[in-house]
Amino acid sequence: MKSNLIQQTLEQLRSQRMLTILSIVGTALSIFLIMVVVMMQQVKVVPFAPESNRDRFMHVRYASIVEREQELYASNGCMSYKTAMEQIGSLSTPELVTIYTDGTWKFSAGLPGQPVTPAELRNTDDNFWKVFDFTFISGKPYDKADFDAGLPVAVMCESTARRIFGTSDATGREFMLNYAPFRVCGIVKDVSSLAESSYAQIWIPASASSSMQDTWCGDLMGNFSATILARSTDDFDDIREEFERRVEDMNKKITDTGWKFITIGRPYTQEKDAVSKSSNLEPDLEGDRRSRMVVYLILLIVPAINLSGMTESRLRKRAAEIGVRRAFGCTRPKIFGQLLSENLLITAAAGIIGWVLSVVFAMLFSTELFTRGFSYTSVTPSIDISMLVQPSTFFTAIGFCFLLNLLSSGLPAWNASRGNIVNALNKKQ
């Protein structure tokens, strides 16, 4: 049955080549446009190294404090290390919690007596290397003992090691970081700047810099954010509840400062954090989803109307064939299903072409597509094929093909299957 359907579809393609070509091109372009929009969103949420556990991530990127009495004044931004440890680092429900500086800082790095090179730095704790799955080429990350001792050690990405040392085999060598000596303890593969929570070119223990002492608002606010690795997505609600209890407990301890913390729905999942636009407002995840659905519908309905006309034209030329099949006892539902299935094969083939084109386009124009309007880094986002070719994106493309097939051929196939047999035989359908 399947082979007959394929053979019949191929025969129809040969007999109506121009309409078929136009249908395939139109469908491919439609899927291409939709998948480009989908990919622009999905690179923010799909897992890829070193953020392979994004589905279990929760973020507390910022904190919000208000005046305790009248709440006339507020401060929104990153936390001090002390605040992050008390509110998030002490949580018992998650598997792990890591605390690190939000974004990257531009530092100069180089060998003594040689020209320096700019490098993007992030200060982290030792759990950072357990939450994020970096690929180490050589060496190892700094551990808790290194962090507690505040040792001047650093993990460096491969390309930065080549710029500074002329080779990626630099584990154990010393270099100057803003004119302070540091030792390389490990080299990792380069990280895309699209991995916003983990990206940097050099990572050092926060205890080896002044970032932990740089605080304000009574030592409550500072430079740090946190990422929570949940044991399971089922724990998200429990983590939020425990976080709120920690915040309430801390508010009781800081009454003398005149401030109190408000949570604004934190911590956020990866998807919710990705649509966050400011530190003082809770992201409207449902609103963002609705907006995306409207865009997808527009990109589906407009080409579907045009493709529907071409499908109607193709089926009109097959009126006699449909009439003969009806005269020999073929039921309307069977004809409708067969016409829909034939068109689905064409749509699926065109959809695969459109999906491949969208991946190629995204790889070629990654700078224009994926650079965010606001970013701490000026580095052009690097795109790996594994970020774009995900099971979720493939099945999304298949889903859109199915919808486009229903929208563009459903009504014409329904009309063709319910036409009058006599008129169909006389090609008057």
Side-chain angles (χ1 to χ4, degrees), residues 187-369:
I187 302 292
V188 297
K189 284 187 176 181
D190 286 9
V191 179
S192 172
S193 58
L194 293 173
E196 291 192 0
S197 298
S198 57
Y199 166 77
Q201 295 170 333
I202 299 175
W203 299 262
I204 65 171
S207 55
S209 72
S210 62
S211 59
M212 295 172 67
Q213 290 74 46
D214 186 14
T215 63
W216 53 93
C217 291
D219 202 28
L220 300 177
M221 307 298 281
N223 300 302
F224 290 89
S225 299
T227 292
I228 300 165
L229 178 62
R231 301 178 193 278
S232 166
T233 55
D234 296 334
D235 294 337
F236 283 174
D237 290 337
D238 293 336
I239 291 172
R240 285 193 187 94
E241 289 176 7
E242 187 183 3
F243 172 70
E244 288 175 359
R245 289 197 301 270
R246 292 284 191 274
V247 171
E248 290 175 5
D249 291 342
M250 188 171 183
N251 281 338
K252 294 174 183 177
K253 297 177 183 178
I254 61 171
T255 53
D256 58 323
T257 66
W259 297 100
K260 69 175 181 179
F261 283 94
I262 54 176
T263 59
I264 317 184
R266 300 183 180 101
Y268 302 147
T269 62
Q270 179 70 31
E271 183 184 9
K272 193 169 184 177
D273 185 70
V275 302
S276 178
K277 294 180 174 62
S278 62
S279 59
N280 62 329
L281 296 173
E282 183 175 357
D284 183 9
L285 181 57
E286 293 303 318
D288 185 80
R289 287 174 175 171
R290 286 194 297 270
S291 298
R292 275 184 274 137
M293 287 304 299
V294 170
V295 173
Y296 297 155
L297 284 174
I298 291 173
L299 291 175
L300 276 173
I301 291 173
V302 172
I305 292 172
N306 295 324
L307 291 171
S308 179
M310 285 186 278
T311 303
E312 185 79 43
S313 180
R314 286 208 316 270
L315 294 180
R316 192 177 295 118
K317 293 182 178 181
R318 297 176 61 186
E321 172 204 332
I322 294 170
V324 169
R325 291 168 63 187
R326 286 280 310 283
F328 278 89
C330 189
T331 63
R332 288 173 175 173
K334 190 172 182 179
I335 290 176
F336 173 75
Q338 200 160 14
L339 294 176
L340 209 61
S341 298
E342 290 175 12
N343 202 72
L344 181 59
L345 291 177
I346 299 172
T347 305
I352 292 172
I353 295 171
W355 178 61
V356 171
L357 287 176
S358 68
V359 172
V360 173
F361 183 83
M363 294 288 291
L364 293 176
F365 297 94
S366 59
T367 302
E368 291 77 8
L369 290 176

Side-chain angles (χ1 to χ4, degrees), residues 52-77:
S52 300
N53 293 311
R54 278 181 164 183
D55 58 327
R56 292 193 288 140
F57 281 174
M58 299 186 80
H59 301 282
V60 185
R61 205 168 296 280
Y62 305 112
S64 299
I65 56 175
V66 295
E67 187 184 26
R68 184 173 289 271
E69 298 300 328
Q70 299 179 344
E71 299 188 4
L72 294 177
Y73 304 101
S75 179
N76 302 276

Side-chain angles (χ1 to χ4, degrees), residues 5 7 108 122 127 176 182 198 218 226 253 282-283 400 427:
L5 178 62
Q7 290 175 1
S108 61
R122 190 186 291 269
N127 277 345
M176 305 299 288
F182 274 76
S198 57
K253 297 177 183 178
E282 183 175 357
F400 280 124
K427 296 186 180 181

Side-chain angles (χ1 to χ4, degrees), residues 160-171:
T160 301
R162 287 201 186 98
R163 290 205 315 268
I164 296 174
F165 300 103
T167 175
S168 60
D169 185 16
T171 300

